[in-house]
Every structure is written in C-alpha cells, then in structure tokens.
Amino acid sequence: MAHSTSGKPTTDGAPAGQHALRYGDGGGGGGSGTPPPTRRGMLSVAAAAGLGLLAGCGEESAGSASGAGPRGSTKADRSPSATPSERSPSPTPKPRPELPRGGRELSRYRLVGYCGLPGAAALGRLGIGDLDDQVRQIEKTARAYAADREPQPVLELLATVANSTAGPGGTYRSRTSPDTIRRFHDAAKRHRALLLLNIQPGRASVLGEVKALREWLVHPDVGIALDPEWEMGPGEVPGDTYGHTSGQELTDVARYLSGIVDEHDLPQKPLVFHQVAVSVVRDQSGLRPQPGVVLIKSADGIGSPGMKRDTWRQLVRNQPEGLRTGFKLFYEEDTEGSRLMTPEEVLALRPRPDYVMFE
C-alpha cells in the first residue's frame, strides 16, 4: 500500500497520505483487493493540537514511615488502670475507592463511550467540539445501550499515538501531553465517567507506555485501552501493515495493572484491546486474567451490519474463559453505503458486549 511520510497535517488534524488498515474482514488483513482506506484510518502526528512529549509520568514514590511514636509515653501507657475512654479514639476507616458511579465491580455497568484526540477529528468524536457537550452526548447514548445494566459513560483518549515517521527516538509514536490528559480526567470526574487511556505504541514497548501512565492509573476511574494493530515490529511502519500483540503480552499488561489495583485497593480496572482481525492477537490461548482487571476484547471492524456481524463471529470464536467483549461503531465509515447498527442489533450480539465504543 502506498504510504507517505510527509507529516503535513490536513484540515481535520490528521496528516495527509497516511492510511490505516481497518476493513473489518476479520481475517489476516491487508491483501490485494482490500477496499480503499478511509478517513478514519489516517494517522495523527505530533503537530496535532494537544499532542506533545509526555513528561513527568514516572513511578509514584511511596512515603516512608518509621512507625515510631513520639518520645516518651502517654498517660494511658503509663497507667495500667487507664480505661478505653481515656485513650485516643481509633480513626474512622477511610472508605475504599469506588468506580465513578459506585461499587467496585464493572459487571453492574454497560460501558459506552467515544474515542479521540483534541485537534485530530479524523481519530474520533472526542476530537470535535466542546468536551462537556460530548460527555453529555455520551451519557444520552449510554442510556440507549444500558439494557439490563446501569450506563457508564467512557472517554477513550489517545494517550500514545502511532506516527508514520520515526521521531527522535525511532519509536514511531508520540505521547499526549499531561495537560491534555489532566483536562480529560477532570471532565471524567465532573461527569462521573471512566477515562480509558488508549495506546498505539508504534515500535515502542507496550508495557513501557503503560508504565509511563502510572500517575493516572492509580486513580479508580482510569483504565487502559490498547490498539495492537498499531504495534509494529522491527522494520515495520504504522500504516503500511497490521501490527500485532500476543496473549502473553496482554497478560503482562494485565499483571502490571493488577499490581496497581492491589497496592492502592482500587476497584476493578478495565483493560480493553481493540481487535480488527484475527491475526492481530497471536496465541490468544496465552491470555491469563489477573485479579482486579477486567479484560475486554473489542471487535473493531468497519462495514455494513452484516459484515460487522461476520467479523464479530470470527473474533469471539473460541474465546478464552474470563475474557469479556466490546464492539466498535463508526458514525461515518459504517454509514458509507450502509447504515449504523441500532442499539437493539448491538445488544442482540452474543456474548452481549460489555463495552460499546463510537468513533
């Protein structure tokens, strides 16, 4: 496939001539006879508004405590006759962190959200218009998909974005600025929404990109979404070919998130991975669920309702135990020559999706 590295942004915030490989065939992807690329597929670049190097996202340092009390002893310690009422009262236990709309388990909610990046309208609805207005629209949309669960709005922000040029570190990726992430996290808190930080790693280490976001992941309302079609091997360039991940790599990320959940006594944390073709996740049998982490495979294909159902059936076949499902809809690409699936049609999929995402 032709590929440009000009890096010149188009009017909608994505660079010209850079195409994705997202066609929803559910198979190996990328052969001759593939439909032409779409607007959705264009990569963003570091010049897009709100995009820059992520600085200061290191590990949180734990405070040290000696455990020693003040010198000397209290009256209660000195006097064996002291009664409990004479001693200092025990502090009230701190409430355990909960999900934005209460509780600690995600199974009570249907997650419904938009994805995107400010200044890059080609990459999703979150790059368009006023952020609070968008979240209010997500809330309205979520109610239509809630069915037997409570609606949980989701903001899926691209935190690591694949680029068609190598960049200073040769990683073919850019990181969204902390200020932008903070703005989206603040909006999520205002609206009691979940924030998912999406990673398109390029040639960078996936786990390294997740670790760089730790300062956000210690919050109970922040999770991770992975886009492994943009995970490149040596010599591969984003937009030229499908990337891929493995069950073991997904397990490594889940294990890292599980450690954060345990350390900070957090509620369940979502780990979503978007999958456009069977070949994108190799050795799926190596995937191992981890305590406190909800793994969600999101079927990510463009097309008519019939085509999307076909992709869905291929992707959920022989699914490992403990893996939940998600489903992605495209407001523009799905409606080119066809129509958007209705909430009733999406909820009729089996297994019923836990996460419905719009781009």
Side-chain angles (χ1 to χ4, degrees):
M1 178 176 293
H3 179 70
S4 167
T5 57
S6 65
K8 295 179 180 178
T10 61
T11 55
D12 64 0
Q18 298 173 7
H19 308 301
L21 303 167
R22 187 188 299 273
Y23 309 109
D25 60 4
S32 60
T34 300
T38 61
R39 178 192 64 81
R40 156 62 186 87
M42 296 188 293
L43 297 170
S44 69
V45 291
L51 199 62
L53 292 178
L54 185 63
C57 288
E59 301 288 325
E60 285 197 342
S61 58
S64 61
S66 67
R71 294 181 180 178
S73 58
T74 64
K75 179 179 180 181
D77 292 329
R78 292 194 303 268
S79 174
S81 61
T83 64
S85 61
E86 293 177 299
R87 301 187 181 100
S88 300
S90 299
T92 302
K94 186 178 180 180
R96 301 180 75 188
E98 294 191 342
L99 294 164
R101 304 202 169 193
R104 291 173 56 87
E105 295 190 3
L106 286 165
S107 58
R108 68 186 278 186
Y109 298 105
R110 180 95 52 222
L111 279 55
V112 179
Y114 289 173
C115 75
L117 178 72
L123 299 179
R125 285 291 173 106
L126 284 186
I128 303 171
D130 179 78
L131 179 54
D132 286 298
D133 287 344
Q134 290 290 6
V135 183
R136 283 188 281 269
Q137 182 59 47
I138 295 171
E139 176 86 48
K140 181 179 178 181
T141 303
R143 289 196 293 268
Y145 287 86
D148 55 338
R149 298 188 184 181
E150 298 176 42
Q152 175 59 71
V154 175
L155 311 181
E156 188 169 321
L157 173 68
L158 275 68
T160 303
V161 187
N163 293 329
S164 64
T165 54
T171 56
Y172 288 86
R173 65 95 175 98
S174 298
R175 289 172 171 176
T176 299
S177 71
D179 287 344
T180 297
I181 296 176
R182 184 173 297 106
R183 181 162 66 89
F184 275 74
H185 189 216
D186 288 345
K189 287 188 287 187
R190 284 196 301 273
H191 295 275
R192 295 191 301 151
L194 277 172
L195 175 64
L196 290 184
L197 299 176
N198 181 293
I199 294 173
Q200 300 177 354
R203 292 189 193 171
S205 159
V206 173
L207 187 56
E209 293 304 303
V210 173
K211 289 181 176 180
L213 296 168
R214 184 183 177 95
E215 69 170 286
W216 310 104
L217 294 172
V218 298
H219 295 281
D221 54 356
V222 180
I224 286 289
L226 303 177
D227 248 330
E229 68 179 281
W230 301 111
E231 182 179 342
M232 301 291 111
E236 295 178 344
V237 175
D240 281 353
T241 184
Y242 279 122
H244 59 82
T245 187
S246 67
Q248 181 59 58
E249 184 171 62
L250 293 171
T251 298
D252 290 343
V253 173
R255 186 175 291 116
Y256 178 76
L257 294 179
S258 180
I260 294 176
V261 169
D262 180 65
E263 179 183 350
H264 295 275
D265 190 28
L266 299 177
Q268 287 183 330
K269 193 172 286 293
L271 171 56
V272 177
F273 60 97
H274 297 292
Q275 187 170 354
V276 65
V278 172
S279 62
V280 168
V281 180
R282 300 177 178 177
D283 187 25
Q284 185 176 255
S285 62
L287 187 57
R288 298 288 183 270
Q290 299 297 313
V293 177
V294 175
L295 285 158
I296 302 174
K297 176 202 285 190
S298 174
D300 181 4
I302 290 169
S304 66
M307 293 172 63
K308 293 176 79 72
R309 289 190 193 95
D310 288 342
T311 300
W312 172 265
R313 283 190 287 267
Q314 293 185 53
L315 292 176
V316 302
R317 186 181 299 137
N318 300 322
Q319 188 157 281
E321 186 176 352
L323 182 60
R324 302 186 192 178
T325 55
F327 195 71
K328 188 184 286 192
L329 295 163
F330 296 82
Y331 277 117
E332 295 189 14
E333 286 80 358
D334 283 350
T335 59
E336 292 175 1
S338 186
R339 63 175 176 81
L340 201 66
M341 291 177 70
T342 66
E344 293 75 18
E345 289 173 320
V346 172
L347 294 172
L349 296 169
R350 292 294 179 270
R352 181 176 279 179
D354 290 78
Y355 179 33
V356 180
M357 198 266 267
F358 290 83
E359 186 167 317

